[in-house]
Amino acid sequence: MVISSDTYIVFETSNASGIKIVNQREAASSNIFRQKEFNLQSLGIGGLSAEFADIFRRAFASRVFPPHVTNKLGIKHVKGMLLYELPGTGKTLMARQIGKMLNGREPKVCIWFVLFIYLSVFHQMIKLIAL
Ligand SMILES: Nc1ncnc2c1ncn2[C@@H]1O[C@H](COP(=O)(O)OP(=O)(O)OP(=O)(O)O)[C@@H](O)[C@H]1O
């Protein structure tokens, strides 16, 4: 084993140990997925495994690497995602369940953003009709 100035040593403890390691945030990998089971059935989501895998790959894959790795590789985390599909097909359900799984906040629909999208599409349609 070779230890250089680029070597990171990450200390981990088992949950039952009661020991909390602090001040190694830069080196430690994200623990948002530790002991989280991605079982869509148990989350009450049916038939969206492919969509979930896509969301996972795009939004969360980069977050499993420690910050020093993502910084060096210039990887930027995805911070937002626009889900689009027909009404009632599980977009909100999926966002809500993923949020719960990550101990995040309840998803909110930004009405101004939705309005902006509608106006943009409307504007494009007017331009097409005018041609
Ligand atoms: N794949 C699914 N598995 C289980 N329940 C689902 C699924 N898709 C939709 N539902 C149920 O149907 C209802 C509507 O779903 P949801 O609100 O997530 O749809 P949506 O795509 O966000 O709709 P909208 O575009 O109208 O906001 C919810 O009660 C949800 O639990």
Side-chain angles (χ1 to χ4, degrees):
M1 180 169 63
V2 179
I3 296 177
S4 71
S5 58
D6 285 336
T7 304
Y8 286 84
I9 297 172
V10 179
F11 297 94
E12 290 190 351
T13 60
S14 75
N15 276 355
S17 73
I19 298 170
K20 191 176 173 193
I21 297 172
V22 295
N23 293 332
Q24 64 167 1
R25 207 168 56 191
E26 269 305 298
S29 62
S30 164
N31 64 357
I32 54 174
F33 299 115
R34 283 209 187 126
Q35 291 161 4
K36 304 281 182 189
E37 204 180 297
F38 296 114
N39 181 346
L40 299 194
Q41 252 70 45
S42 71
L43 295 170
I45 305 171
L48 292 173
S49 303
E51 288 76 8
F52 183 82
D54 200 29
I55 288 178
F56 183 87
R57 186 172 49 77
R58 286 167 194 243
F60 302 128
S62 66
R63 295 176 192 271
V64 301
F65 297 113
H68 72 271
V69 173
T70 49
N71 287 347
K72 266 195 188 152
L73 297 175
I75 297 171
K76 297 255 182 282
H77 295 311
V78 171
K79 292 184 179 167
M81 192 171 283
L82 180 66
L83 301 179
Y84 64 94
E85 204 24 273
L86 293 172
T89 48
K91 299 180 293 291
T92 309
L93 174 70
M94 208 161 181
R96 188 159 280 137
Q97 296 303 60
I98 291 172
K100 266 190 208 162
M101 218 162 57
L102 301 174
N103 300 320
R105 281 174 291 174
E106 282 271 298
K108 285 187 184 140
V109 176
C110 174
I111 191 66
W112 296 116
F113 183 70
V114 173
L115 203 60
F116 172 76
I117 298 288
Y118 271 113
L119 287 176
S120 302
V121 171
F122 185 66
H123 184 233
Q124 292 301 322
M125 283 168 69
I126 295 290
K127 278 205 299 194
L128 281 175
I129 291 167
L131 282 177

